[in-house]
Amino acid sequence: MFRCVPFLLLLALPVQAQQLTPDLKLVPTNAAAFAHVKLGDVWKGDAVKDFRDILAAAGPKAFEHLDREFHPPLSSIDRITTVLLEIEERQPPMIVTILSFTAPYDSQRIVKDYFFDPKPKKAGGKEYWNDSPMNIAAYFADTRTLVVANGSTLIRYITRAPSQDGPLAPLLAAAAGKYPLTIGVIPQSIPLPDHVRADIPDELMILFKAKSLLVAADNSKAVRLTAQLNFSDAAGAKAGMEAVKGACKMVKTGPFWLEQRKEIEEQLFDTKGKRKLGPSDRRSLNDIAEAVQGFYGLAGFNWADRQLTDPPLKLQGETLMMDIALPAYVAPFFDLAIAGSSALQLLAQMEVIQSAIKLSMNNLKQIGIAIQSYDSAQGMLPASGTGMKNGKPLLSWRVAILPYLEQDNLYNSFKQDEPWDSDHNKKLIASMPKLYLDQRIPEADRKPGMTYYKVFTGTDAPFNPVQNWSVASLTSSARGTSNLIFVAAGGDPVIWTKPDDFAYDESKAIPDLTKPFPELLVLMGDGSVRRVNPKMKDFDKKLRAAINPNSTSTLSLVD
């Protein structure tokens, strides 16, 4: 029986009548999309009772400990809303996360605990905190509602013209209802790149012309997914229905779907004879587990296949609706998936940061390979500055290793007998390889031709104007290559072609490596890349030992 009528009645009510919660009021009604999860309701649901009981076995002290360790307390997270403000061509999507808590929080403690270099800022008459090194910003809307995004996106959000009657307004009204998960999308606000548009059949393009898409999940009894596409007229809705049916048929008959069926049947029926099942064969526990997994997998696949064969669609005027009741055994997993998606939303900004760190670490690894290759070919490390004129080096080591980074053409474009800022060589600054770009720097703060990857130069450093060190000689030195820094990512940025690096003297203060990043990334002489916390105990002494090849100190950056 079709059960969309209560859902439609809900959408028919005015937005104000739904009494939007403070977090939903912060969603611009002219944004492109949003996803709203009532994490507190999901956690209290019957479907996750067994899971709650398992966690309860940890005891009340464990829960109390988590709440003391983190602020706001994890148990106070009530709702999470992710908003897609807009998408600009060839730019990352502008995403804002709105967190709602059951109890007031201490904004100053949040800034102190989670920000590395917080700076108070103001935009659109509203105050917020920005952390450039972490590329994250926070706007404390009230004592229980927090808005988080990267710096440029938060500014766009705060200064966005208020809108109460945009296309998302009725969808937000639905989100204020009983549903633990609501997703609202304005398809026309999401541009399709030309190469994507070219791959979409013409008959499916009508779906991207819909006025709005709303998906809601209800788990009060059985888990039900309800979706509706709203069009400008009844003809558009009818065309939308045919497009959805066509899309389902394309999936069902497509190579991916057929391959999935083949793999599931193989797991159950062992069509290739991997388990050698026969009257005299003994079954192992692994055989049983694999067969059972295949059995349940085939059951779920066939259920999904039936939905594609005859999708539960219904037309009502300008609206195309779909209502699906998920199998009972899916309910616990569905609720956990909602909870998991909420956690992913909460960690989205941190994941961006971690991805940038991984990319930068990979850059350093590739640079390390190039330095090793240079050493193997030349019998020594590259000089920190190549060529000399009037007692000054002309080009940086970053230029010298270009041939070992598969950048031969760029290397050959330089005039090696001219300085980095000659009329000819200066034009090549803008051609800096992406490998020299530290991905931790927000895109808005990047300056063309500037890099943070530098070596230590001086008589007490590996890149030494007096002694031509090689990897072999450093391996037998007091420190050895595994404890010796070759390249560090930090300090002030420099022009990549300029022989400008960390000048080091054992008798003087160490250059400031603690900015602009929360942690220091270093390439060691053995090719490994390490993440170093500048706040570690004896950081200054350990860093000195890791810079000087002749140091006899036993201290290590990994101690």
Side-chain angles (χ1 to χ4, degrees), residues 221-498:
K221 294 180 180 179
V223 175
R224 303 191 71 88
L225 288 178
T226 305
Q228 75 168 45
L229 268 170
N230 298 297
F231 292 86
S232 298
D233 50 40
K238 186 176 180 180
M241 173 181 273
E242 296 305 315
V244 171
K245 289 181 178 179
C248 290
K249 184 176 180 180
M250 288 176 58
V251 172
K252 181 179 169 65
T253 59
F256 173 78
W257 194 255
L258 297 176
E259 185 63 28
Q260 290 301 305
R261 174 182 287 280
K262 183 178 179 181
E263 290 183 8
I264 292 173
E265 290 178 343
E266 158 61 22
Q267 191 173 20
L268 173 60
F269 299 114
D270 190 29
T271 57
K272 297 182 181 179
K274 293 180 180 179
R275 295 193 293 271
K276 297 181 180 180
L277 299 179
S280 60
D281 291 325
R282 298 184 62 180
R283 275 71 165 177
S284 69
L285 292 177
N286 287 338
D287 293 337
I288 296 173
E290 189 171 351
V292 170
Q293 289 173 6
F295 180 85
Y296 278 101
L298 186 60
F301 185 90
N302 286 338
W303 176 86
D305 194 75
R306 287 196 299 272
Q307 307 305 312
L308 291 174
T309 302
D310 185 20
L313 302 172
K314 184 177 180 180
L315 281 175
Q316 185 164 331
E318 302 170 355
T319 301
L320 171 62
M321 298 170 289
M322 181 175 68
D323 186 48
I324 299 178
L326 300 183
Y329 67 84
V330 174
F333 300 102
F334 180 79
D335 276 14
L336 290 177
I338 294 177
S341 68
S342 302
L344 289 176
Q345 291 177 49
L346 182 61
L347 296 174
Q349 297 297 330
M350 294 307 297
E351 178 58 29
V352 171
I353 295 169
Q354 293 302 315
S355 297
I357 291 174
K358 291 176 183 177
L359 288 171
S360 296
M361 292 179 70
N362 184 65
N363 287 353
L364 286 172
K365 286 183 179 180
Q366 297 304 313
I367 292 171
I369 293 173
I371 291 175
Q372 297 272 358
S373 299
Y374 183 102
D375 178 87
S376 296
Q378 305 295 332
M380 65 182 69
L381 295 175
S384 59
T386 62
M388 295 293 287
K389 189 173 184 180
N390 299 325
K392 295 182 178 180
L394 304 177
L395 296 166
S396 76
W397 62 273
R398 292 172 287 267
V399 174
I401 66 171
L402 286 176
Y404 306 95
L405 292 171
E406 299 181 356
Q407 295 281 344
D408 299 75
N409 290 338
L410 180 56
Y411 177 80
N412 293 329
S413 298
F414 281 91
K415 291 186 177 180
Q416 301 292 329
D417 59 347
E418 294 184 5
W420 66 273
D421 57 350
S422 69
D423 290 341
H424 174 82
N425 286 342
K426 190 162 53 175
K427 298 175 183 178
L428 298 173
I429 294 175
S431 300
M432 184 179 79
K434 291 183 178 179
L435 205 64
Y436 291 147
L437 174 63
D438 196 307
Q439 296 295 326
R440 294 174 294 173
I441 294 295
E443 190 167 353
D445 297 336
R446 295 174 184 172
K447 298 178 181 179
M450 304 295 284
T451 184
Y452 287 87
Y453 300 149
K454 293 174 281 185
V455 299
F456 290 94
T457 65
T459 55
D460 300 315
F463 293 81
N464 185 322
V466 177
Q467 179 178 4
N468 291 325
W469 288 101
S470 66
V471 172
S473 60
L474 287 171
T475 302
S476 59
S477 69
R479 292 299 293 170
T481 56
S482 62
N483 291 309
L484 191 66
I485 296 175
F486 269 18
V487 182
D492 293 319
V494 298
I495 297 173
W496 76 281
T497 57
K498 183 180 180 180

Side-chain angles (χ1 to χ4, degrees), residues 51-105:
F51 183 67
R52 284 201 312 271
D53 292 343
I54 291 173
L55 293 185
K61 289 185 178 180
F63 284 92
E64 292 172 2
H65 173 75
L66 284 178
D67 276 354
R68 285 196 306 269
E69 286 293 307
F70 300 97
H71 186 81
L74 298 182
S75 63
S76 69
I77 302 175
D78 188 30
R79 298 182 301 274
I80 302 178
T81 307
T82 298
V83 183
L84 174 61
L85 290 182
E86 56 190 87
I87 298 179
E88 295 181 353
E89 189 174 357
R90 298 183 180 180
Q91 295 294 329
M94 298 181 186
I95 297 176
V96 172
T97 300
I98 304 173
L99 305 173
S100 178
F101 302 90
T102 58
Y105 55 68

Side-chain angles (χ1 to χ4, degrees), residues 111 114-118 131 133-134 514-519 534-535:
V111 171
Y114 301 113
F115 280 46
F116 175 71
D117 185 24
D131 189 335
M134 297 286 285
T514 61
K515 61 180 182 181
F517 308 113
E519 64 180 355
K535 296 181 180 180

